[in-house]
Amino acid sequence: MEKVGPVSPTPSTADTSASRPGGRLERWLWIGVFLLACALPFFMSEYRLFQVTLTLIYAIVLLGLRVLTGYSGQISLGHGAFYAIGAYTTAILVTRFGLPYYATIPISAALCLAVGFLFGRPALRLEGHYLALATFALAVATPQLLKHKQLQTYTGGVQGLLFDKPEAPFGLPMGQDTWLYCFTLAVTAVLFVLGHQLLKGRIGRALLAIRDHPTAAAAMGVDTAWYKSMAFAVSALYTGVAGSLGAIAVQFVAPDSFYPLLSIIFLVGAVIGGLTSSWGPLFGAMFIQFVPNIADDMSKSASWAIYGFFMVACVFLMKDGIAGALARIGRLAAGRRASPSAGRKGG
C-alpha cells in the first residue's frame, strides 16, 4: 500500500483555503455566489440563462482540467474527445434507447472514467509535450470515428442526432431553459463540492507532490502511476458529465461539433482562469463563453485576432490567471486597510 501521509506540498501551491484565516470568508463567498446563481432566473431572459448554463458546463470541464493539469501536472489537449463521448452517450441513450436524460449522466460519467483510465495508464510513459501530442491525437481521431459507417446506426453519421430539450418535472411552472439551468446548477454545485473534498485531502497533497517532485514522491511511497492514472480518469469523468449536459442543452450532437480546436480552447480557459485556484474554472468558463462574443461584436472580420489579443493580454498580465490576479488585488487592498490601523495603534 502506498503511504501518502508524510506528503506535504508547499504552501504556495497547495489549496489550503480551509486552513487559511480567510478560508471562512471564501466559504461564505461561495455560498453567496451560489445564492446569486439561484436568483438569476428571476431577472434574466431564457436566452441569457442558456448562456450561463453553457458557462456552468464549461466550468465542469475546467474543474476536471484543474485536477489533471493544475494538480498532477499532466497536459491534455484531448478533452474534447471526452466531451464528445459524454455528449454522444447521452444522445444515443435518449434517442435510440429511450432513457430519461438524467439517467444518462451517471452512465456517461462511468464510461468516461473507464476510457480516461485506460488511456491515461499507457500515456504515463509520456511527459510534457509528448503527452500533449498523444492526447491531441485522440481529439483529432474522435470526430472521424463518430463518422465511421459501422457506427452510423447509433451516431447518425455526419448528420448527427437531434432530440428534444427536457421539460420541467412535476408540472413546475418554468420554461425548458430555466429548468435546464437549475438542473445544471445543481450538478455543478455537487461536482465542485466533491472536487474540493478530493483535492484538499491527502489525494490532493499526493498529486501536488507528484507534480512538483515526482522522484521524491515515489521515494516517500506514493504510487505515482496510480495517482496519475486516476487524475486522468477523474478529469475525463468531469468532462464526460459536462458533455452530457452540453448535449442536453443544445439538443444536438454531430461529429464536427467536437473539432480538435475545442480541446485547445478548454486548456486555454483553464490556464486563463487559474489552474491552482478553486475559482479558476468559473472565470475560465466565463472567458470561453463570453469573450468570443465580445470579440465578434467588436469586429466581424477580425474577431479571432481580437480574441487572441485578449488571450495574450491575460497570459502576460495575469501569470496566475484571472482568479490569481483578483486574489492578489484583494490581498493588496486588505493590506492597505490594515496599515493605517496598525499605524494608529503604534502611535
Side-chain angles (χ1 to χ4, degrees):
M1 294 294 291
E2 67 274 12
K3 300 176 182 179
V4 298
V7 176
S8 179
T10 57
S12 60
T13 58
D15 184 7
T16 56
S17 58
S19 60
R20 291 196 309 263
R24 184 174 299 177
L25 174 62
E26 185 174 358
R27 192 180 303 114
W28 281 108
L29 283 175
W30 275 110
I31 294 173
V33 168
F34 178 74
L35 293 177
L36 177 62
C38 291
L40 287 182
F42 295 101
F43 55 89
M44 267 192 178
S45 66
E46 291 208 339
Y47 173 70
R48 293 300 180 189
L49 278 179
F50 172 73
Q51 289 185 308
V52 179
T53 300
L54 292 180
T55 303
L56 294 175
I57 292 169
Y58 294 148
I60 295 173
V61 178
L62 303 190
L63 181 59
L65 280 171
R66 180 180 175 231
V67 174
L68 182 67
T69 306
Y71 270 70
S72 72
Q74 301 177 85
I75 300 174
S76 172
L77 293 176
H79 269 51
F82 299 118
Y83 191 82
I85 292 172
Y88 263 92
T89 300
T90 289
I92 291 171
L93 291 176
V94 169
T95 59
R96 307 302 190 198
F97 298 95
L99 263 68
Y101 66 95
Y102 53 83
T104 67
I105 294 177
I107 299 175
S108 298
L111 180 60
C112 288
L113 178 73
V115 174
F117 184 83
L118 292 176
F119 183 85
R121 194 70 177 185
L124 291 175
R125 301 180 180 180
L126 303 174
E127 297 288 344
H129 56 279
Y130 296 106
L131 176 61
L133 289 175
T135 55
F136 188 67
L138 179 65
V140 172
T142 299
Q144 305 305 317
L145 291 175
L146 294 172
K147 297 177 185 178
H148 197 274
K149 61 182 181 180
Q150 299 295 334
L151 300 176
Q152 285 184 6
T153 304
Y154 298 101
T155 64
V158 295
Q159 295 181 349
L161 298 172
L162 180 67
F163 54 99
D164 296 329
K165 190 174 291 187
E167 300 284 348
F170 312 118
L172 294 175
M174 61 177 63
Q176 292 175 321
D177 289 314
T178 303
W179 163 247
L180 183 59
Y181 167 77
C182 296
F183 179 75
T184 305
L185 177 63
V187 174
T188 304
V190 170
L191 291 179
F192 264 74
V193 171
L194 292 177
H196 177 71
Q197 295 298 321
L198 178 72
L199 294 176
K200 77 172 185 177
R202 69 172 194 170
I203 294 177
R205 293 195 300 270
L207 291 176
L208 284 171
I210 294 171
R211 184 197 69 184
D212 294 338
H213 307 286
T215 304
M220 296 177 69
V222 178
D223 189 343
T224 57
W226 170 258
Y227 277 100
K228 281 189 172 184
S229 299
M230 287 308 301
F232 212 105
V234 170
S235 181
L237 180 151
Y238 273 75
T239 308
V241 171
S244 291
L245 293 172
I248 297 169
V250 301
Q251 307 163 256
F252 176 71
V253 293
D256 292 334
S257 301
F258 308 101
Y259 48 92
L261 184 60
L262 181 64
S263 300
I264 299 176
I265 291 174
F266 286 154
L267 184 61
V268 166
V271 172
I272 288 178
L275 282 171
T276 59
S277 171
S278 58
W279 295 91
L282 284 179
F283 291 118
M286 289 184 219
F287 185 92
I288 292 174
Q289 175 61 31
F290 295 108
V291 170
N293 295 335
I294 295 172
D296 191 60
D297 291 338
M298 294 175 66
S299 174
K300 299 290 184 182
S301 59
S303 58
W304 278 104
I306 297 173
Y307 177 76
F309 172 78
F310 280 127
M311 183 173 63
V312 171
C314 288
V315 170
F316 274 94
L317 298 178
M318 295 175 281
K319 64 178 183 178
D320 297 326
I322 298 173
L326 292 177
R328 190 159 51 249
I329 292 172
R331 288 194 296 269
L332 288 174
R336 289 180 180 179
R337 287 197 302 269
S339 56
S341 60
R344 287 195 298 269
K345 289 180 181 179

